[in-house]
Amino acid sequence: MKENISGLPQPKKVILSGMRPTGKLHLGHLVGALENWVDLQQEYQNYHLIADYHALTTNPDSRDLEENAIEMVMDWLAAGIDERISPMFRQSQVKEHTELHLIFSMLITTARLERNPTLKEQVRDLKLENIAYGHLGYPVLQAADILLYKGDVVPVGEDQLPHIEITREIARRFNAQYAPEKPVFPEPEAKLTTFARLTGLDGNRMSKSLGNTILLSDPPDVIRTKMRSAVTDPRKVRKGDPGRPDVCLVFNYHQKFNAAETPEIRAGCESGALGCVGCKMRCADRIVDALAPHRDRRGYYETRKDEVRSILADGESRAREVARQTMTEVRTAMRMG
Ligand code: TRP
């Protein structure tokens, strides 16, 4: 624990991070999120939430949720999240999420939720009246996710910023309504994930559903095959043609995974001396190297799924304790204890 000026120990600030259980994670998750989480896990108290209820907002099929959560936890562990200090848990296993969600749902108008730009983006040409009630309200559930653990900081991508704003509004409203003297909730801050997102191998946003990702669990030969299919500068048709590294996604991967050689790669690409296939294979080799420790650690857990299940169960019981404590404060503040 840190000490403040008076010499008293000061509790660590809380980071609450959340991800839908999408199964095996890809390079974009590592670069955009996991590396940050691992870096911050000593300085802050981290909680890693698996948003399995949120997954139901867009797809009610629940059959794969548990398996997908386990696959994701294996990637979290392999990336270096330490289960002893950072609980990992499924939202659905801590009942307090649903209770706090209900209470919060009284503190926000439907008009406010309908204005949510992320929702508008998701529903596009569907009419608002045709989306599920729970989909409209999913930022309210997210607010409960964050505030149950009194999250001070929430690492998110840009699309999630409106939800953090909604969370702040709900925290303010709860405090003003029920606990004006002694606020129960902090107003959490978003921490934008910094590194520009990696582009998918086809030039689109990297996304599992588009099939354009390199998975953290991909074996080396799969990484090489996938890399071979990556799109490059369309003006560089064959070796000898000058290329433009700054429009090439493979160059962007070099910058991330092969920083030392980027000047040479740039020069080779621009002069034409380096062909795209050679360039891609050098890049694939560096990615294979960079993921080697991850692959090893993941391999360990893949043969010990029971251990992963018990890590999750332990995280869930620790999360439950914190959630229960917060709900006691909530009920006391509301005089519904
Ligand atoms: N809404 C997030 C998404 O769709 C997932 C999420 C749920 C989340 N609860 C959270 C993210 C709490 C951060 C904090 O990706």
Side-chain angles (χ1 to χ4, degrees), residues 160-173:
Q160 295 290 312
L161 288 178
H163 300 163
I164 308 307
E165 196 43 51
I166 290 173
T167 302
R168 295 166 62 87
E169 287 173 27
I170 290 177
R172 271 200 297 275
R173 210 155 294 151

Side-chain angles (χ1 to χ4, degrees), residues 30-175:
L30 183 69
V31 171
L34 293 176
E35 288 179 340
N36 268 324
W37 294 2
V38 172
D39 287 348
L40 296 171
Q41 70 181 336
Q42 302 296 339
E43 193 184 334
Y44 293 82
Q45 172 61 53
N46 281 255
Y47 293 92
H48 298 292
L49 173 131
I50 301 168
D52 53 355
Y53 279 144
H54 276 99
L56 297 176
T57 59
T58 45
N59 180 4
D61 187 344
S62 57
R63 280 173 297 185
D64 295 333
L65 290 179
E66 182 173 6
E67 186 56 26
N68 285 345
I70 298 283
E71 289 289 342
M72 189 160 86
V73 167
M74 288 198 286
D75 276 323
W76 286 359
L77 291 165
I81 293 181
D82 183 344
E83 76 275 14
R84 291 164 305 179
I85 54 177
S86 307
M88 294 168 249
F89 57 98
R90 288 165 293 170
Q91 196 181 34
S92 66
Q93 303 306 302
V94 182
K95 291 193 170 52
E96 284 77 3
H97 288 257
T98 58
E99 289 183 38
L100 193 56
H101 168 248
L102 181 86
I103 294 168
F104 283 174
S105 71
M106 318 301 174
L107 300 177
I108 189 159
T109 64
T110 49
R112 175 70 182 88
L113 293 169
E114 286 168 6
R115 276 201 310 273
N116 172 10
T118 302
L119 179 81
K120 285 191 183 159
E121 175 68 22
Q122 283 174 346
V123 296
R124 289 233 182 93
D125 25 49
L126 264 179
K127 284 205 190 113
L128 268 179
E129 63 209 50
N130 292 328
I131 69 161
Y133 169 58
H135 191 172
L136 176 69
Y138 100 91
V140 185
L141 179 58
Q142 186 163 353
D145 294 343
I146 296 167
L147 294 174
L148 258 184
Y149 306 92
K150 302 192 178 179
D152 297 297
V153 178
V154 188
V156 284
E158 208 144 331
D159 63 311
Q160 295 290 312
L161 288 178
H163 300 163
I164 308 307
E165 196 43 51
I166 290 173
T167 302
R168 295 166 62 87
E169 287 173 27
I170 290 177
R172 271 200 297 275
R173 210 155 294 151
F174 183 96
N175 289 337

Side-chain angles (χ1 to χ4, degrees), residues 220-235:
D221 55 323
V222 173
I223 294 178
R224 292 196 181 92
T225 308
K226 285 184 172 177
M227 205 58 197
R228 197 168 290 131
S229 74
V231 300
T232 52
D233 179 0
R235 288 204 212 146

Side-chain angles (χ1 to χ4, degrees), residues 163-263:
H163 300 163
I164 308 307
E165 196 43 51
I166 290 173
T167 302
R168 295 166 62 87
E169 287 173 27
I170 290 177
R172 271 200 297 275
R173 210 155 294 151
F174 183 96
N175 289 337
Q177 178 76 35
Y178 300 113
E181 311 283 312
K182 193 169 159 280
V184 173
F185 295 117
E187 275 185 48
E189 275 169 34
K191 181 173 163 46
L192 259 190
T193 39
T194 45
F195 194 87
R197 278 172 173 267
L198 282 177
T199 307
L201 298 172
D202 59 358
N204 293 311
R205 177 179 65 88
M206 188 179 276
S207 151
K208 212 168 162 185
S209 55
L210 298 175
N212 61 5
T213 66
I214 291 176
L215 297 178
L216 300 176
S217 47
D218 279 340
D221 55 323
V222 173
I223 294 178
R224 292 196 181 92
T225 308
K226 285 184 172 177
M227 205 58 197
R228 197 168 290 131
S229 74
V231 300
T232 52
D233 179 0
R235 288 204 212 146
K236 185 174 167 75
V237 181
R238 57 184 67 83
K239 190 172 171 187
D241 294 347
R244 297 168 298 167
D246 295 315
V247 305
C248 181
L249 68 93
V250 178
F251 187 69
N252 188 221
Y253 282 62
H254 274 293
Q255 288 172 313
K256 174 62 196 162
F257 295 99
N258 190 18
E261 288 180 358
T262 50

